[in-house]
Amino acid sequence: MKNTIPYLEEWLELARTGKHEKAQEIYFDKLFAAVVEHFVENNTDKLTQGGTLFSILGYSPEPIILTAKTVKPDTHIIFTTNNKSDSNSYLEKYLSSDYEMVFLDEESFPLIYKALKEKLLLNPSSNITIDITGGKKSMVAAAAIFGKDYGCKIVYVDFSEYIKDLRKPLPGSEVLNIVYDPFVHQPELFLK
């Protein structure tokens, strides 16, 4: 499959020659909008739009933005232990103000689970998706267990091509992976 993402070659050249700040600038200013459009076009039929989206954020906001643009949630809540503003500026640019940030002091199981449960109680919905792409492994594990316990769809932004020397997915190769859908994987839960 030929990748048609504009500015990809320019970004690759900058990233490979150690010009990381300029590469980051090109990525978010010129390239990422096409990545988002490509991702939404290729994944929009995988999930029902609307509902509530819980996202786990580490240092990379890209997967959270991709999932949010695809799901178009009525309510989007992002959980993070990262209080740095780098990711936040990209979230603001691509998501406007259509999300709520929950800053956590630590990534312990009880704290993550409790925070998710509190937000679920405040935002009840029969259509809840949890994006476990970002965050530390302990946060992701807690979110996945919570999602299974409360019948949420669990998704992960994966990729089909990886740039080994840059340790990054090839922009435009991102795919939405449905890790768990209770209606598909455990339909017996909904039998009366």
Side-chain angles (χ1 to χ4, degrees):
M1 175 177 101
K2 182 167 175 11
N3 194 321
T4 59
I5 302 297
Y7 303 102
L8 180 60
E9 294 304 319
E10 181 181 356
W11 173 80
L12 278 169
E13 177 65 26
L14 289 167
R16 285 192 166 130
T17 57
K19 298 174 183 157
H20 299 293
E21 285 183 28
K22 186 66 177 167
Q24 182 86 339
E25 182 183 312
I26 294 285
Y27 183 84
F28 281 106
D29 289 347
K30 295 182 176 180
L31 190 142
F32 190 58
V35 170
V36 170
E37 184 179 320
H38 180 76
F39 185 85
V40 169
E41 184 179 298
N42 290 318
N43 294 284
T44 197
D45 61 337
K46 292 183 178 178
L47 291 171
T48 305
Q49 292 185 344
T52 299
L53 174 62
F54 288 163
S55 299
I56 308 301
L57 173 63
Y59 293 101
S60 300
E62 299 95 312
I64 288 170
I65 295 167
L66 293 173
T67 303
K69 290 291 194 175
T70 303
V71 173
K72 296 182 175 102
D74 300 318
T75 304
H76 185 193
I77 303 170
I78 301 170
F79 300 84
T80 186
T81 57
N82 179 13
N83 293 329
K84 291 186 177 179
S85 61
D86 292 352
S87 295
N88 298 353
S89 65
Y90 298 123
L91 291 172
E92 289 168 11
K93 178 178 180 175
Y94 285 95
L95 298 179
S96 305
S97 60
D98 298 339
Y99 62 92
E100 174 187 347
M101 292 288 286
V102 176
F103 294 99
L104 304 167
D105 295 330
E106 59 180 77
E107 65 272 357
S108 70
F109 179 88
L111 185 68
I112 302 295
Y113 199 96
K114 181 181 178 201
L116 288 162
K117 189 173 182 179
E118 286 174 357
K119 289 302 175 181
L120 177 67
L121 293 172
L122 293 172
N123 300 280
S125 174
S126 60
N127 180 16
I128 302 168
T129 303
I130 300 179
D131 181 351
I132 61 169
T133 311
K136 296 180 179 178
K137 288 179 178 73
S138 56
M139 292 177 69
V140 169
I145 292 168
F146 174 86
K148 173 79 166 65
D149 288 351
Y150 285 90
C152 306
K153 289 182 192 88
I154 302 170
V155 300
Y156 181 87
V157 176
D158 209 343
F159 50 85
S160 60
E161 295 181 56
Y162 191 69
I163 309 168
K164 224 176 193 179
D165 58 323
L166 297 178
R167 300 180 65 185
K168 293 180 178 284
L170 181 69
S173 74
E174 298 86 355
V175 293
L176 187 64
N177 181 3
I178 311 296
V179 176
Y180 174 76
D181 181 339
F183 296 101
V184 173
H185 299 112
Q186 288 189 295
E188 66 274 11
L189 295 175
F190 304 98
L191 296 175
K192 296 217 179 209

